[in-house]
């Protein structure tokens, strides 16, 4: 288990190699956070293409910001902060250009908002469950899109990036209690949005 | 625990956030309360749904595209931050790599010829503007003219706008090693067969592809050894311009004769007796921290490498500057 000091000196070495322009160091830096970061970005901004752009831009900013990075700060927190700020800027710009506000409920088949159980039951289950997966994906995307940014941010960082409440609090610049509140409220909104799903339907669907 | 209290905790319970005690209390309450149990299931379902989505996988393409962007930006940053915008001499050095070496405060430089103790022979081949040479032997100043020599004990002073170019040879009638150019407001003293003291301004040594015949370093023992290219030495800076290896190949000759192999890339070794930074500018900018007694090498195509300097490569003579953190400085021109 790597202790606090060991972690810091490993990070420092990695950063020093990055500062020298070593491409392998860049690669290590990217790999280290790739999956949680891209998934956070994707779930937070809701668009795959935008998430990929933001992912790349995050690391470009990291390189530009290397000289100013204080070694005692956490590298991962710093990277997430950059990503999050870029994502927020993106959302702001998107809101300005969108004609349809994100919050408006979208109609499902037949003009009704599909409730979760109905959606699951209405799909013919495929042998490998892909139809269900696709439907779940669609529902999650839509439900997340309806959350307010602060709640969505907290929830996606917790669930998709796997950050602790303390880490989220640090990068959002809010107290841990506030973050917990946001995550829990987000879950409540989500549950309401998804309808009252029977637990058996979900548990079996896996 | 009543329903109101339980409901407050249900989202946290579903996410697995609760500590042992509160979780136990919630569980107990749920066992006895159908309404709260239903609500808990809904939260649980929502969490399951979130966690059940297929995450985006890692992608080589994404990683490599990102690394590529980082490398490009890094090169730009190195250039912007460390190197002044100035045109490289002549059109010859297409896509040249420029190494700037910021050294500890040291006013001396010296030229060492590998495998030879003989004093380097310097003769002026080009003079323009106002340049004067103090001949140590005679104790007098003379204007510099083409054909004049610079011997141990002499001092050359050039004024702003002036320039003197010396050819450097192993001996008077022997193989040429390169050339030394002194420009601008510069004062350069030749101490002995191999050592020079630069008190003001800058000089530039051109090896013209002759191989590792010249090593330049200052009295702080910061140095650079070139396989090919040009070194500029300022009071607080040693800069080496290394030709792009493709260009270098062309300079050797169409027949490909000479010491340069088809796949050879110019190498630049850097050694320091005090701390400092070496910066390589190019498509892939690189910055290296230099430490005393460690030799670092730049391969234009690869990453810098650092190793302990061997005793035989340690420069002879010159004192050591006290250890101090050197900062990168631009040439003062």
């Amino acid at each position: 288990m790597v202790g606090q000091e060991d972690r810091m000196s490993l990070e420092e070495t990695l950063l020093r190699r990055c500062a020298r322009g070593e491409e392998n160091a860049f690669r290590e830096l990217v790999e280290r956070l790739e999956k949680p970061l891209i998934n956070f970005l994707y779930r937070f901004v809701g668009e795959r293409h935008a998430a990929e752009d933001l992912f790349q831009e995050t690391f470009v900013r990291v390189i530009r910001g290397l000289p100013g990075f204080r070694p005692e700060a956490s590298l991962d927190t710093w990277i997430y902060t950059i990503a999050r700020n870029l994502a927020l800027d993106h959302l702001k710009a998107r809101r300005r250009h969108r004609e349809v506000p994100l919050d408006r409920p979208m109609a499902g088949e037949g003009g009704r908002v599909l409730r979760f159980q109905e959606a699951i039951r209405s799909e013919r289950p495929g042998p490998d469950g892909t139809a269900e997966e696709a439907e779940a994906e669609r529902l999650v995307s839509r439900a997340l899109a309806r959350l307010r940014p602060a709640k969505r941010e907290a929830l996606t960082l917790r669930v998709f990036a796997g950050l602790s409440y303390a880490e989220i609090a640090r990068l959002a610049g809010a107290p841990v209690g506030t973050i917990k509140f946001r995550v829990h409220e987000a879950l409540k909104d989500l549950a309401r949005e998804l309808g009252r799903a029977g637990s058996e339907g979900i548990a079996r669907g896996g | 625990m009543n329903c109101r209290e339980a409901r407050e905790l249900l989202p946290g319970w579903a996410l697995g956030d609760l500590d042992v005690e509160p979780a136990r209390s919630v569980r107990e309450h749920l066992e006895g309360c159908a309404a709260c149990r239903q609500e808990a299931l809904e939260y649980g379902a929502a969490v399951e749904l979130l966690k059940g989505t297929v995450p985006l996988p890692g992608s080589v393409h994404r990683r490599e595209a990102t690394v590529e962007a980082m490398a490009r930006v890094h090169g730009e940053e190195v250039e912007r931050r460390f190197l002044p915008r100035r045109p490289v001499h002549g059109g010859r050095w297409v896509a040249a790599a420029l190494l700037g070496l910021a050294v500890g405060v040291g006013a001396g430089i010296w030229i060492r010829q590998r495998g030879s103790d003989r004093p380097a022979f310097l003769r002026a081949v080009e003079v323009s503007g106002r340049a004067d040479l103090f001949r140590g032997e005679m104790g007098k100043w003379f204007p510099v003219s083409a054909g004049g020599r610079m011997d141990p004990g002499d001092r050359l002073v050039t004024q702003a706008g002036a320039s003197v170019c010396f050819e450097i040879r192993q001996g008077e009638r022997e193989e040429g090693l390169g050339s030394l150019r002194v420009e601008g407001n510069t004062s350069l003293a030749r101490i002995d067969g191999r050592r020079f003291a630069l008190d003001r301004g800058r000089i530039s040594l051109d090896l013209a592809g002759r191989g590792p015949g010249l090593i330049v370093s200052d009295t702080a023992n910061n140095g650079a050894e070139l396989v090919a290219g040009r070194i500029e030495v300022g009071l607080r800076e040693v800069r080496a311009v290394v030709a792009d290896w493709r260009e270098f190949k062309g300079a050797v000759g169409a027949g490909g004769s000479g010491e340069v192999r088809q796949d050879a890339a110019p190498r630049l070794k850097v050694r320091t007796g005090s701390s400092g930074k070496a910066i390589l500018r190019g498509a892939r900018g690189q910055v290296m921290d230099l430490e005393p007694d460690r030799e670092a090498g730049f391969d234009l195509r690869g990453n810098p490498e650092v190793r302990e300097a061997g005793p035989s490569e340690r420069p002879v003579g010159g004192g050591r500057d006290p250890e101090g953190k050197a900062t990168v400085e631009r040439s003062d021109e």
Side-chain angles (χ1 to χ4, degrees):
Chain A
M1 187 83 124
V2 179
Q4 177 80 351
E5 274 180 29
D6 296 328
R7 177 185 65 79
M8 275 175 64
S9 75
L10 279 174
E11 285 178 6
E12 229 172 291
T13 308
L14 180 59
L15 289 179
R16 211 174 295 161
R17 288 167 56 215
C18 285
R20 285 204 294 264
E22 253 187 65
E23 280 187 29
N24 280 332
F26 295 159
R27 208 165 273 116
E28 278 175 45
L29 193 67
V30 171
E31 272 169 11
R32 154 198 186 95
L33 282 185
E34 187 196 358
K35 281 189 244 179
L37 188 64
I38 189 67
N39 280 289
F40 156 63
L41 284 170
Y42 172 49
R43 293 301 176 189
F44 185 48
V45 302
E47 288 166 343
R48 176 71 187 272
H49 206 80
E52 298 284 355
D53 285 348
L54 290 169
F55 179 89
Q56 200 173 107
E57 185 60 27
T58 297
F59 285 99
V60 162
R61 295 287 177 105
V62 165
I63 293 301
R64 286 205 204 277
L66 269 181
F69 178 68
R70 294 178 336 274
E72 58 272 12
S74 154
L75 175 60
D76 292 355
T77 301
W78 182 51
I79 296 176
Y80 272 108
T81 305
I82 294 173
R84 172 224 184 218
N85 290 338
L86 284 172
L88 285 171
D89 290 344
H90 168 83
L91 289 178
K92 247 183 259 168
R94 194 171 72 184
R95 268 203 295 277
R96 279 200 295 276
H97 293 114
R98 271 255 168 131
E99 291 172 51
V100 179
L102 278 173
D103 292 346
R104 181 175 300 176
M106 298 184 213
E109 323 278 87
R112 293 178 303 142
V113 175
L114 284 178
R115 294 171 65 89
F116 183 74
Q117 304 114 302
E118 292 173 279
I120 285 291
R121 268 185 247 124
S122 70
E123 295 289 339
R124 228 176 317 137
D128 49 336
T130 24
E132 283 164 6
E133 271 176 5
E135 182 59 25
E137 171 67 36
R138 196 176 71 80
L139 286 157
V140 167
S141 296
R142 204 178 66 186
L144 285 174
R146 293 200 188 168
L147 293 174
R148 297 215 164 275
K151 288 191 213 170
R152 189 178 347 126
E153 171 192 60
L155 183 71
T156 51
L157 283 171
R158 177 95 186 102
V159 172
F160 297 104
L163 298 191
S164 71
Y165 283 111
E167 286 167 325
I168 301 172
R170 258 200 302 276
L171 69 97
V176 170
T178 305
I179 300 299
K180 277 193 178 164
F181 178 77
R182 286 180 189 165
V183 173
H184 297 167
E185 287 299 303
L187 191 62
K188 285 186 194 168
D189 292 349
L190 224 70
R192 220 174 297 132
E193 169 68 25
L194 295 168
R196 307 305 182 199
S199 60
E200 338 112 47
I202 312 310
R204 258 187 251 130
Chain B
M1 174 168 284
N2 63 37
C3 287
R4 191 183 53 80
E5 289 168 333
R7 285 214 168 97
E8 275 308 301
L9 295 177
L10 283 181
W13 180 80
L15 284 163
D17 290 347
L18 297 185
D19 289 332
V20 175
E21 268 311 305
R24 196 183 54 78
S25 302
V26 167
R27 207 166 40 246
E28 278 170 8
H29 176 86
L30 291 181
E31 275 163 17
C33 177
C36 286
R37 204 158 50 232
Q38 178 59 26
E39 197 164 316
L41 286 174
E42 285 156 14
Y43 287 132
V47 172
E48 281 303 306
L49 189 66
L50 287 175
K51 293 194 169 164
T53 54
V54 179
L56 294 178
S59 146
V60 171
H61 171 76
R62 179 194 300 128
R63 287 195 294 273
E64 289 309 309
T66 303
V67 167
E68 180 67 37
M70 290 163 88
R72 185 178 30 86
V73 166
H74 180 86
E76 287 167 14
E77 285 296 300
V78 164
E79 183 133 357
R80 187 179 66 82
R81 208 170 278 127
F82 292 118
L83 295 169
R85 287 179 210 292
R86 52 185 280 184
V88 184
H89 280 31
R92 195 175 159 219
W93 309 104
V94 173
L98 178 75
L99 174 78
L101 172 67
V103 303
V105 177
I109 59 118
W110 55 277
I111 302 171
R112 185 174 70 144
Q113 293 158 248
R114 258 190 205 285
S116 167
D117 284 338
R118 284 179 298 166
F121 176 82
L122 268 67
R123 174 161 53 209
V125 291
E126 223 180 76
V127 183
S128 73
R130 174 93 186 275
D132 297 287
L133 188 77
F134 179 84
R135 304 226 44 156
E137 249 184 0
M138 301 168 77
K140 281 165 69 171
W141 287 90
F142 296 87
V144 179
S145 55
R149 288 159 44 160
M150 185 171 184
D151 292 331
D154 293 350
R155 172 180 291 278
L156 173 70
V157 175
T158 53
Q159 304 298 331
S163 131
V164 180
C165 185
F166 292 93
E167 60 175 356
I168 306 172
R169 297 180 172 278
Q170 294 268 35
E172 188 164 356
R173 286 176 221 300
E174 299 199 39
E175 190 195 342
L177 294 171
S179 64
L180 164 71
R181 180 178 292 274
V182 180
E183 281 174 314
N185 191 358
T186 299
S187 174
L188 176 74
R190 185 169 181 182
I191 299 169
D192 60 24
R194 292 170 294 159
R195 282 187 300 164
F196 290 74
L198 181 67
D199 295 313
R200 188 173 66 246
R202 61 189 308 112
I203 65 170
S204 132
L205 281 159
D206 199 324
L207 296 183
R210 294 294 181 183
L214 292 175
I215 300 173
V216 174
S217 68
D218 61 14
T219 54
N221 288 337
N222 295 295
E225 173 189 358
L226 289 185
V227 171
R230 186 176 84 241
I231 297 181
E232 296 170 10
V233 184
L235 269 187
R236 288 190 291 271
E237 199 174 46
V238 172
R239 285 153 63 94
V241 179
V242 181
D244 175 73
W245 70 275
R246 287 183 291 273
E247 184 74 3
F248 179 66
K249 253 196 331 181
V252 169
S257 64
E259 306 96 16
V260 179
R261 291 189 312 279
Q262 199 69 14
D263 60 349
R267 279 197 56 83
L268 178 68
K269 284 197 262 185
V270 172
R271 191 187 331 105
T272 178
S274 64
S275 55
K277 277 196 198 309
I279 306 105
L280 180 70
R281 183 193 81 174
R284 304 270 192 252
Q286 299 171 33
V287 179
M288 198 168 20
D289 286 321
L290 299 175
E291 290 161 51
D293 295 333
R294 306 194 80 200
E295 181 179 276
F298 282 108
D299 178 333
L300 277 195
R301 292 176 304 186
N303 287 322
E305 57 191 58
V306 181
R307 64 177 179 88
E308 303 299 330
S312 59
E313 293 166 64
R314 206 171 296 230
V316 175
R320 283 223 180 165
D321 268 345
E323 174 108 17
K325 193 154 168 58
T327 53
V328 178
E329 290 172 326
R330 296 168 180 226
S331 67
D332 37 22
E333 202 119 34

